[in-house]
Amino acid sequence: IAYVSYNTYPGWHMRGMIRDMMQFHSNRFTEGRQRVQQARALLDFLATSVRQEGPYSSLLKTELESIRNQTDNYLFHEHLEQVNDPVYFHQFVTMARRHGLRYLGEARVPTMVTGNFGPEVQKTLKTLAADQIQTEQYMDFLRNRMFRETLLVNEKNPPNWTIEPKNLRSLHLVANGKPTGKAEPNIHSEEPEQYQTRSGMTLSTNRPLLKAAMKVLNGRWPSTTPFDELRAESRKLLGGDPADAALAEEDTKTLALGLVNTYISSDLIELHAVAIPINRANTEKPQVVATARARVESGATSVANRRHELVKLSDLDQRLLPLLDGTRDRAAILEALVQKALAGDLKVAKDGQPLTTDADVRAALASVLDQAIANLSMQSLMAPA
């Protein structure tokens, strides 16, 4: 399977226009950092000078605000590079075919599903489009899509785009959707419960089995759970024998269908082909993944976690993380942090006032150490058990 990320039309028509403006202004300069600074200066000028008097001004203002908030790295490599050639999705597929490649799907499956647009739009798309390629091209028109993450396979491998709930049984699941209510969800009732995803999306369900599954997954975050184990643990919470064959078969169908519908309509759950076990923070000698420790020791202030996400680190995290190499217990970790603080390498304060004595610094760090280690675990930075 080949993964290709690329810019697409129609969304990049507007963004490409802003890129042309930045190129026009920044090409007078040769040094990379100066080009970025000048591009930002132009963006600031345009954003503060464009009046919201019509569709063009409104759209331009929105795009400018989005680009202004991006990092210098993104700005340089996305907008100031010499080559940036967006294409329509159907053009990309045609280009791939010339090289013996076939479209498999998108890395984010929910973007391939027409049902997320509502029944009327879904009905019209079925009339307009003759196949999956045309369907997705029309959806790009509706979304004004500007970026894709496409998966390709050899042309000899025809894809099966039918979503089969039963296929979940071979997968591992993870979720961190928080209940939006103040009280703990009643998993035994059929009253709707609403969950909020990490991106802020909300999803509601009244199915006791699905609510029980969310409880299990939330308790195991960020580790994955095999489907069959998830079903068994969810049934235990609701009552009943997980080993009962008839009940297990019914639960499997109900849970698989509910999770598939959740997956294709939101980012509440994730599906993984392999297990991702995360070592919990309550181990005697916690250990962060070696790559993250090496990054911090080289001066980085952000690291990649085991979920392939970028995690920004606080000042305390940057001093704590290298110490979590699996050789130190809590007492040794605390002692090392105290020495860093007394040496001036870590600022410790209380009520806005810096702490300087051994006793005060030790007490302050001791009060936050467990939570700091737990946060690193919740951010998927702990090494596998």
Side-chain angles (χ1 to χ4, degrees):
I1 298 176
Y3 167 94
V4 185
S5 63
Y6 55 101
N7 295 325
T8 61
Y9 293 132
W12 247 86
H13 279 301
M14 172 57 75
R15 189 150 291 186
M17 182 178 66
I18 298 176
R19 164 184 153 84
D20 292 342
M21 297 177 189
M22 287 190 289
Q23 289 272 355
F24 173 78
H25 179 66
S26 66
N27 280 347
R28 294 183 293 164
F29 307 92
T30 57
E31 198 270 324
R33 189 174 300 277
Q34 190 177 22
R35 291 187 66 207
V36 171
Q37 292 172 346
Q38 290 296 320
R40 286 201 179 281
L42 178 65
L43 291 175
D44 291 339
F45 166 72
L46 293 173
T48 55
S49 303
V50 171
R51 297 178 180 179
Q52 299 241 14
E53 296 178 345
Y56 167 76
S57 298
S58 177
L59 187 57
L60 181 60
K61 188 89 171 176
T62 300
E63 285 298 309
L64 287 170
E65 290 300 329
S66 175
I67 297 173
R68 288 173 75 197
N69 293 326
Q70 299 293 342
T71 64
D72 286 352
N73 290 338
Y74 173 86
L75 197 66
F76 185 80
H77 291 290
E78 186 78 349
H79 294 279
L80 302 183
E81 288 280 12
Q82 290 293 322
V83 178
N84 188 334
D85 297 322
V87 293
Y88 283 98
F89 171 62
H90 71 90
Q91 294 174 325
F92 175 87
V93 172
T94 298
M95 293 163 60
R97 285 172 178 160
R98 296 192 195 119
H99 296 276
L101 299 172
R102 183 195 294 263
Y103 176 64
L104 172 64
E106 289 297 302
R108 303 177 194 276
V109 174
T111 66
M112 302 172 62
V113 181
T114 60
N116 293 333
F117 285 97
E120 289 302 318
V121 174
Q122 186 177 15
K123 180 180 178 181
T124 303
L125 285 173
K126 287 184 178 180
T127 303
L128 293 175
D131 56 27
Q132 182 71 22
I133 307 302
Q134 291 187 14
T135 298
E136 292 201 43
Q137 182 60 80
Y138 282 116
M139 287 195 290
D140 282 8
F141 295 157
L142 290 170
R143 292 190 177 107
N144 195 35
R145 191 164 182 168
M146 63 179 62
F147 179 70
R148 272 184 171 265
E149 299 166 284
T150 296
L151 307 178
L152 300 171
V153 292
N154 188 286
E155 61 184 355
K156 298 177 182 178
N157 301 320
N160 178 5
W161 287 309
T162 304
I163 297 176
E164 296 284 359
K166 65 181 181 180
N167 291 338
L168 260 67
R169 296 198 63 178
S170 63
L171 299 177
H172 304 260
L173 298 93
V174 64
N176 191 31
K178 302 298 183 184
T180 58
K182 295 182 180 179
E184 179 75 13
N186 183 354
I187 63 174
H188 297 279
S189 77
E190 293 189 359
E191 289 294 318
E193 294 288 351
Q194 196 171 62
Y195 298 87
Q196 185 174 53
T197 72
R198 299 173 76 203
S199 68
M201 184 183 296
T202 57
L203 191 75
S204 179
T205 181
N206 65 346
R207 294 177 177 270
L209 192 60
L210 195 55
K211 290 191 284 185
M214 287 304 303
K215 185 177 180 67
V216 173
L217 292 174
N218 285 339
R220 297 186 176 190
W221 171 269
S223 296
T224 57
T225 302
F227 176 85
D228 286 338
E229 183 178 329
L230 176 62
R231 181 211 52 88
E233 292 301 315
S234 300
R235 173 46 59 190
K236 287 180 182 178
L237 290 178
L238 292 175
D241 182 7
D244 181 275
L247 185 58
E249 182 178 2
E250 181 182 349
D251 282 352
T252 296
K253 292 179 181 178
T254 301
L255 185 59
L257 181 60
L259 290 173
V260 162
N261 289 335
T262 299
Y263 178 71
I264 63 178
S265 63
S266 74
D267 59 348
L268 185 62
I269 65 169
E270 298 174 9
L271 304 176
H272 294 266
V274 296
I276 306 178
I278 306 293
N279 195 9
R280 283 308 203 177
N282 57 7
T283 54
E284 182 180 351
K285 296 180 179 180
Q287 182 178 1
V288 164
V289 291
T291 51
R293 298 200 310 272
R295 282 276 296 163
V296 172
E297 289 167 355
S298 69
T301 59
S302 60
V303 296
N305 65 10
R306 298 192 63 230
R307 291 167 42 79
H308 312 290
E309 299 165 329
L310 191 65
V311 177
K312 295 183 179 179
L313 303 175
S314 66
D315 287 342
L316 176 58
D317 292 337
Q318 293 171 44
R319 275 62 178 186
L320 171 63
L321 196 147
L323 301 174
L324 306 184
D325 59 1
T327 66
R328 298 176 176 87
D329 59 16
R330 292 294 199 283
I333 295 168
L334 176 60
E335 184 61 34
L337 287 175
V338 169
Q339 295 308 314
K340 287 179 179 293
L342 295 177
D345 186 37
L346 173 63
K347 294 181 180 179
V348 181
K350 183 177 181 180
D351 298 328
Q353 298 299 316
L355 302 179
T356 56
T357 67
D358 184 294
D360 289 343
V361 167
R362 191 176 298 275
L365 289 173
S367 68
V368 299
L369 179 59
D370 283 345
Q371 186 58 53
I373 295 176
N375 287 342
L376 293 177
S377 177
M378 293 297 288
Q379 292 171 321
S380 306
L381 285 167
M382 290 298 173

